[in-house]
Amino acid sequence: MKKTVIELFAGVGGFRVGLNDIHGFDETGRAIENNDWDFVWANQWEPSTKVQHAYDCYTTRFGSGSCSNEDISNVDKSSIPDHALVCGGFPCQDYSVARSLSKEKGIEGKKGVLFWDIAEVLRVKKAPFVLLENVDRLLKSPARQRGRDFGIMLRTFDDLGYNVEWRVINAAEYGCAQRRRRVFIFAWKKNTKYNKNIDRVYAESYLFKDGLFASSFPVENPENFARDFKLINLSEYKDTVEMTDSFRTRFENTGIMIDGFVVTGKTIPVQIQPITLREIRENREHLDSYFLDDAQNKKFEYLRGPKKIKRKKPNGEIYYYSEGGMCYPDNLDLPGRTMLTSEGSINRSTHVIKDKETGKNRLLTPIEAERLQSFPDDWTNTGMPEKRRYFMMGNALVTKIIYKLEPNLNRIITDE
């Protein structure tokens, strides 16, 4: 089967960078890619901004016409070219740990419902394979009914004729420069050759040895699979509407769904030495604009420090908000923490490192932010404001994870 791909919610092209092993671009700004994977269509549209910086970056790196800039909900799905693989990091704001639980709406939220556009693409185009990425909180969303959203997604895949595997991957545990936990979802049509001989009896071997994630990101052998992994029957529910009202369960960091039956449990990664902040730190002069003054340093020391703050609920009840202390500045001999879209601003989550030349505390540069996500240096240097460059990287995925998946994904689709 030809390795044709569409990239939904494409951002600045993370899946394409990873699959085609992109390390840079030529003098015209076009990405230097091996073209082993043929990206026949992509879509990127951000409703909240007038200027489409992510789309502009994508088309700068991959050429005019490489990406659609239309609300995916308005796209005629039948007009999308045929393809072997759908990939995308679908919008995750409704699930993100960065949001307060009081505002979390899960799959019912404005952004969350875009999953149904993925489902519609699959219904119309019937792609044999799917690879998606999201925040790991998706498995527990929403707070008031743990596991409901992911359960509905799995049931939707089953209704559309797909079996599914998922794994929560911490990029730093597999040799990357960032402690970024994300859930990766791999789905395949039940009528594919790949699906042959994959059944519930095979679940242990698939999850620990033979599956896409196990073969790409090894895990320790289970002590007692039958004891530690549980079975969930999604077919007990009439449909997703019934699940919306009553479904609740605990999905673990690893699992597989075969014909509506889910097997899920915890796996322990066989870790690889990560890349450290020291290794991604830029070796160049004239970084003055990133240095922190005394007032900014004091602000960061407060934000990173332990605190117990007295607050009042709307009903007048008093409670205390507590935060633990964080290392300040960041330890250069560790990989970076999870980078958020607010990177570069003065807040608790922003990285602060010691400058190599001066020893002064400073913010990460946009290039260092790109390195945390394994993008080529200056990938987002396409005319957008610096603040947006940080935003794009906070929204992106670690492309090295996709690069590590590629050989096994290549084999699966080539053999189909």
Side-chain angles (χ1 to χ4, degrees):
M1 178 176 286
K2 293 182 179 179
K3 292 177 291 183
T4 50
V5 191
I6 68 166
E7 188 171 15
L8 303 178
F9 315 108
V12 294
F15 278 91
R16 189 164 177 173
V17 168
L19 286 176
N20 276 335
D21 190 20
I22 297 170
H23 289 91
F25 38 88
D26 61 24
E27 62 279 0
T28 70
R30 287 288 297 268
I32 301 172
E33 54 184 331
N34 59 28
N35 293 316
D36 197 31
W37 294 81
D38 182 10
F39 281 72
V40 296
W41 192 79
N43 178 266
Q44 169 56 36
W45 183 73
E46 177 52 58
S48 62
T49 60
K50 183 177 180 180
V51 181
Q52 299 287 309
H53 290 120
Y55 166 78
D56 291 342
C57 180
Y58 196 101
T59 54
T60 296
R61 298 303 179 216
F62 298 116
S64 177
S66 60
C67 189
S68 161
N69 186 220
E70 181 182 1
D71 184 345
I72 187 64
S73 299
N74 297 330
V75 171
D76 176 4
K77 308 304 190 286
S78 64
S79 70
I80 298 173
D82 293 342
H83 47 275
L85 174 68
V86 176
C87 63
F90 58 106
C92 57
Q93 283 87 335
D94 285 327
Y95 314 115
S96 177
V97 73
R99 287 173 62 109
S100 67
L101 293 179
S102 63
K103 294 181 180 178
E104 184 185 62
K105 294 182 179 179
I107 204 167
E108 297 173 344
K110 184 179 180 181
K111 289 274 186 176
V113 295
L114 290 177
F115 170 75
W116 301 118
D117 285 293
I118 298 175
E120 180 65 6
V121 170
L122 298 180
R123 186 189 69 79
V124 173
K125 301 303 300 183
K126 299 176 173 55
F129 299 99
V130 186
L131 179 62
L132 304 175
E133 177 257 11
N134 210 309
V135 293
D136 61 335
R137 187 169 198 79
L138 171 62
L139 300 181
K140 301 176 182 179
S141 176
R144 67 184 181 276
Q145 195 177 336
R146 294 294 194 192
R148 183 203 67 188
D149 291 357
F150 193 60
I152 289 175
M153 289 182 184
L154 290 177
R155 175 58 184 268
T156 301
F157 274 114
D158 183 56
D159 290 344
L160 290 169
Y162 290 86
N163 288 327
V164 179
E165 174 193 14
W166 76 87
R167 169 87 75 83
V168 174
I169 297 173
N170 182 337
E173 292 175 340
Y174 289 101
C176 300
Q178 187 181 176
R179 288 166 278 173
R180 192 179 188 90
R181 288 166 53 89
R182 291 294 184 264
V183 59
F184 289 84
I185 302 163
F186 179 55
W188 60 93
K189 272 286 192 180
K190 298 176 186 180
N191 62 2
T192 57
K193 185 167 68 174
Y194 177 71
N195 189 67
K196 187 178 181 181
N197 299 324
I198 297 180
D199 54 29
R200 279 181 287 157
V201 177
Y202 180 57
E204 179 178 356
S205 180
Y206 186 92
L207 293 175
F208 284 86
K209 180 182 177 182
D210 303 323
L212 174 63
F213 297 129
S215 56
S216 305
F217 302 101
V219 291
E220 296 181 10
N221 290 325
E223 290 186 3
N224 189 325
F225 182 80
R227 179 195 67 196
D228 297 335
F229 278 67
K230 65 179 180 180
L231 180 67
I232 303 165
N233 182 6
L234 299 182
S235 301
E236 291 179 353
Y237 298 85
K238 178 182 177 182
D239 52 28
T240 54
V241 175
E242 182 179 332
M243 291 179 69
T244 299
D245 296 330
S246 59
F247 183 82
R248 180 194 302 266
T249 196
R250 182 183 180 91
F251 291 107
E252 301 293 354
N253 69 354
T254 297
I256 188 172
M257 180 191 70
I258 303 295
D259 296 327
F261 286 89
V262 174
V263 178
T264 182
K266 293 181 180 179
T267 53
I268 300 172
V270 177
Q271 297 191 28
I272 298 173
Q273 185 71 25
I275 298 169
T276 66
L277 283 170
R278 189 182 304 278
E279 293 173 273
I280 64 101
R281 188 171 55 171
E282 279 204 79
N283 298 322
R284 71 178 194 188
E285 299 177 355
H286 310 302
L287 296 175
D288 295 11
S289 62
Y290 304 100
F291 293 145
L292 303 177
D293 59 29
D294 290 342
Q296 291 171 323
N297 267 304
K298 288 181 180 179
K299 179 67 172 177
F300 269 111
E301 287 171 359
Y302 167 76
L303 291 171
R304 294 282 189 90
K307 55 185 72 70
K308 189 174 183 180
I309 304 170
K310 185 177 180 180
R311 290 182 176 175
K312 184 184 292 187
K313 294 181 180 179
N315 64 3
E317 182 182 347
I318 300 298
Y319 71 101
Y320 289 89
Y321 170 76
S322 299
E323 280 185 334
M326 295 171 63
C327 178
Y328 184 76
D330 288 280
N331 188 337
L332 289 168
D333 294 317
L334 293 175
R337 292 171 290 100
T338 300
M339 182 167 51
L340 305 181
T341 55
S342 57
E343 184 68 39
S345 63
I346 298 180
N347 66 71
R348 182 176 166 89
S349 66
T350 289
H351 290 81
V352 175
I353 62 173
K354 283 192 175 296
D355 183 64
K356 183 175 182 179
E357 301 297 326
T358 65
K360 295 179 181 179
N361 288 345
R362 66 169 175 82
L363 303 175
L364 295 183
T365 67
I367 285 177
E368 289 164 339
E370 289 163 341
R371 291 175 180 176
L372 281 185
Q373 296 285 44
S374 304
F375 276 83
D377 287 2
D378 272 327
W379 184 259
T380 56
N381 189 12
T382 55
M384 72 179 78
E386 192 168 86
K387 182 179 180 180
R388 296 296 291 175
R389 294 183 66 183
Y390 290 118
F391 182 90
M392 297 303 158
M393 287 299 101
N395 251 351
L397 52 69
V398 180
T399 67
K400 193 173 181 179
I401 293 296
I402 306 303
Y403 172 76
K404 286 175 175 286
L405 278 172
E406 192 277 336
N408 291 307
L409 190 60
N410 189 333
R411 173 181 51 79
I412 289 169
I413 295 179
T414 300
D415 289 348
E416 189 61 36

